[in-house]
Amino acid sequence: METTTITGLVATTPRHLVTAEGLPITSFRLASSNRRFDRAKMEWVDGETNWFTVISYRTLAVNTAMSVSKGDRIIVSGELLIRDWDNGTTTGTSIEVSASTIGHDLAWGNSNFTRTTHKADTE
Amino acid sequence: METTTITGLVATTPRHLVTAEGLPITSFRLASSNRRFDRAKMEWVDGETNWFTVISYRTLAVNTAMSVSKGDRIIVSGELLIRDWDNGTTTGTSIEVSASTIGHDLAWGNSNFTRTTHKADTE
Amino acid sequence: METTTITGLVATTPRHLVTAEGLPITSFRLASSNRRFDRAKMEWVDGETNWFTVISYRTLAVNTAMSVSKGDRIIVSGELLIRDWDNGTTTGTSIEVSASTIGHDLAWGNSNFTRTTHKADTE
Amino acid sequence: METTTITGLVATTPRHLVTAEGLPITSFRLASSNRRFDRAKMEWVDGETNWFTVISYRTLAVNTAMSVSKGDRIIVSGELLIRDWDNGTTTGTSIEVSASTIGHDLAWGNSNFTRTTHKADTE
């Protein structure tokens, strides 16, 4: 599994839905443009923006829908999924993160936490 | 650098101080006992608890002191530092995480975010 | 920085070149299709293939060109760069890994190591 | 799971054994002393040495025993296990990495790869 941890800006209002089978899903676009170490130049540079679609399920999806807004700075940890798509008219590649955990990044602000569950949906 | 991402329970009330040079520091003990994949048995098992000392500086330290309480479930990402110590009477090894980011884990509850800064203390 | 560690199959013969400024670069396509934990289904499934372009510089590039062949199973650790491109005719997204380290994956075979340098090109 | 990727020097000759149940195990001590970003000083410094015990099983253990020697520079990716021990006389803490993958670090030398298996021992 390609797990990765990303910090960045929530670029779209999180979309929340519940499937016909009752599975809660919340997704949003994340823009990450941290400084990075350019190995060609061997120096730190301002990074270009990496764009991700973050997808969460179950309890994490419900809490994310209630807590996360466009403009928030967050941390996401999860698994990278690179999907090529073709909708008939155009094709493209989307880079998704299937989130195991999401949180507000306290390097950028404060947050109040209200615990709601005694056991997360874990594997 | 050994960077790692850890989710767990804040086990001690975060301690906050400002050094003589004006550097804010917040630290606390983190207990992580997620399920893990046991490669000897080739199966998922309940993990033993891994204990870490999390240390944060500057803006992250100030916000963490204001936002994080004992009992909170958090995500930390940062660099692993394994320090052997000897205080004259006993010796031991502490496992520290020098945090680049900390957040409340939304798999376990809700949080309200108030952004306070337009630029984090980054490298 | 979004650093990630990926294991997979070298899908193309590594290309090696030296720029006009004398910078060695080696690149190849990497296919990663490990089993992954599907959070929607809450179960392990065979993963679809994630495709990456791996780019290395300097000493790592020279050694990779000499040691890595199409068909090898490797580990790569480095920084994720998501680049949108437009060559006039078509557009696309490439997912690059700027490698800090590459090695043959000993879960899949044996390797003999010959050390050539006393100091890697590090930051 | 706390997964981490570490590069470093193999500090002890790998020990290989097969348990009574037929499980191959290879272990060795790894010293990692890469440069690190000191967040207190906000600058890159030479790191102190982090010491790990690397443990591998099955095919990875067999190939590691055949391929890895004291003095080699390697990459390890796997899961962090912090174990407190007490042997009656003294106590201590060992930091183990349960390896999912090990490879020679091509930033430090060359390696020849001979593939021996068509399917790794994966979860």
Side-chain angles (χ1 to χ4, degrees):
Chain A
M1 296 208 308
E2 278 84 75
T3 50
T4 187
T5 298
I6 303 164
T7 60
L9 182 79
V10 177
T12 60
T13 299
R15 282 186 52 218
H16 180 70
L17 60 88
V18 180
T19 67
E21 299 83 12
L23 175 67
I25 302 179
T26 299
S27 67
F28 55 87
R29 292 284 282 166
L30 181 71
S32 165
S33 53
N34 300 314
R35 282 174 69 73
R36 67 180 192 87
F37 185 69
D38 185 319
R39 287 204 173 78
K41 301 180 192 173
M42 286 289 261
E43 65 186 35
W44 283 88
V45 299
D46 282 324
E48 299 82 20
T49 304
N50 280 345
W51 285 93
F52 301 91
T53 298
V54 176
I55 304 179
S56 54
Y57 302 93
R58 295 189 176 75
T59 305
L60 180 58
V62 172
N63 292 339
T64 296
M66 293 181 61
S67 306
V68 172
S69 307
K70 178 176 171 182
D72 286 356
R73 285 274 174 171
I74 63 162
I75 314 147
V76 184
S77 193
E79 190 201 346
L80 219 51
L81 294 164
I82 297 165
R83 297 191 186 287
D84 293 318
W85 52 265
D86 182 336
N87 66 10
T89 324
T90 50
T91 62
T93 305
S94 77
I95 295 90
E96 295 179 10
V97 180
S98 176
S100 59
T101 175
I102 296 172
H104 286 117
D105 187 346
L106 293 173
W108 289 88
N110 291 307
S111 72
N112 294 314
F113 184 63
T114 308
R115 184 158 164 171
T116 57
T117 182
H118 294 280
K119 191 164 173 60
D121 310 310
T122 54
E123 191 281 322
Chain B
M1 298 208 308
E2 278 85 72
T3 50
T4 187
T5 298
I6 302 165
T7 59
L9 181 79
V10 177
T12 61
T13 300
R15 283 186 52 218
H16 181 70
L17 60 89
V18 182
T19 67
E21 298 83 12
L23 175 66
I25 301 179
T26 300
S27 68
F28 56 87
R29 292 284 282 167
L30 181 71
S32 165
S33 50
N34 301 314
R35 281 175 68 75
R36 68 179 190 87
F37 185 69
D38 185 319
R39 285 204 176 78
K41 300 179 192 173
M42 286 289 261
E43 63 186 38
W44 284 88
V45 299
D46 283 323
E48 299 82 20
T49 304
N50 280 345
W51 285 93
F52 301 90
T53 298
V54 177
I55 304 179
S56 54
Y57 302 94
R58 296 187 175 74
T59 304
L60 180 58
V62 172
N63 292 340
T64 295
M66 294 181 61
S67 305
V68 172
S69 307
K70 179 176 170 181
D72 286 357
R73 285 275 174 169
I74 64 162
I75 314 146
V76 184
S77 192
E79 190 201 347
L80 219 51
L81 295 164
I82 296 165
R83 297 192 187 287
D84 293 318
W85 53 264
D86 183 335
N87 67 9
T89 324
T90 51
T91 61
T93 305
S94 76
I95 295 88
E96 295 180 9
V97 180
S98 177
S100 59
T101 175
I102 296 173
H104 286 117
D105 187 345
L106 293 173
W108 291 88
N110 291 308
S111 72
N112 294 313
F113 184 64
T114 309
R115 184 159 165 170
T116 58
T117 183
H118 294 281
K119 191 165 172 58
D121 310 311
T122 54
E123 190 283 321
Chain C
M1 297 207 309
E2 278 81 64
T3 50
T4 187
T5 299
I6 303 165
T7 59
L9 181 78
V10 178
T12 61
T13 300
R15 281 186 55 220
H16 181 69
L17 60 89
V18 181
T19 67
E21 297 84 11
L23 175 66
I25 301 179
T26 300
S27 67
F28 55 87
R29 293 284 281 168
L30 180 72
S32 165
S33 51
N34 301 313
R35 280 175 68 76
R36 67 178 191 90
F37 185 70
D38 185 319
R39 288 206 174 76
K41 300 179 193 173
M42 286 289 263
E43 62 186 38
W44 283 88
V45 299
D46 283 323
E48 300 83 17
T49 304
N50 280 344
W51 284 93
F52 300 91
T53 298
V54 176
I55 304 178
S56 54
Y57 303 94
R58 296 188 173 73
T59 304
L60 180 58
V62 172
N63 292 339
T64 295
M66 293 180 63
S67 306
V68 171
S69 307
K70 179 176 170 181
D72 286 355
R73 285 273 174 172
I74 63 162
I75 314 147
V76 184
S77 193
E79 189 200 346
L80 218 51
L81 295 164
I82 297 166
R83 297 194 187 285
D84 293 318
W85 52 265
D86 182 336
N87 67 9
T89 322
T90 50
T91 62
T93 305
S94 76
I95 296 88
E96 295 178 10
V97 181
S98 177
S100 59
T101 175
I102 297 172
H104 286 117
D105 187 345
L106 294 173
W108 291 87
N110 291 307
S111 72
N112 294 313
F113 184 63
T114 309
R115 185 160 166 170
T116 58
T117 182
H118 294 282
K119 192 166 170 61
D121 309 311
T122 54
E123 193 282 325
Chain D
M1 297 206 309
E2 278 86 73
T3 52
T4 188
T5 298
I6 303 164
T7 59
L9 181 80
V10 178
T12 60
T13 299
R15 281 186 54 218
H16 181 70
L17 60 88
V18 181
T19 67
E21 298 84 12
L23 175 66
I25 302 178
T26 299
S27 68
F28 55 87
R29 292 284 282 167
L30 181 71
S32 165
S33 52
N34 300 314
R35 280 175 69 75
R36 67 178 192 90
F37 184 70
D38 185 318
R39 286 206 174 77
K41 301 180 192 172
M42 285 290 262
E43 61 186 38
W44 284 88
V45 298
D46 283 323
E48 301 82 19
T49 304
N50 281 344
W51 284 93
F52 301 90
T53 298
V54 176
I55 303 178
S56 54
Y57 303 93
R58 296 188 175 73
T59 305
L60 180 59
V62 172
N63 292 339
T64 295
M66 294 179 63
S67 306
V68 172
S69 307
K70 179 177 171 179
D72 286 356
R73 286 272 174 173
I74 63 161
I75 315 147
V76 184
S77 192
E79 189 199 346
L80 219 51
L81 295 164
I82 297 166
R83 297 193 187 286
D84 293 318
W85 52 266
D86 182 335
N87 66 10
T89 322
T90 50
T91 62
T93 304
S94 76
I95 296 88
E96 295 179 8
V97 181
S98 177
S100 59
T101 174
I102 297 172
H104 286 117
D105 187 346
L106 294 173
W108 291 87
N110 291 307
S111 72
N112 294 315
F113 184 63
T114 309
R115 185 161 165 168
T116 57
T117 182
H118 294 282
K119 192 165 170 60
D121 309 311
T122 55
E123 191 281 324

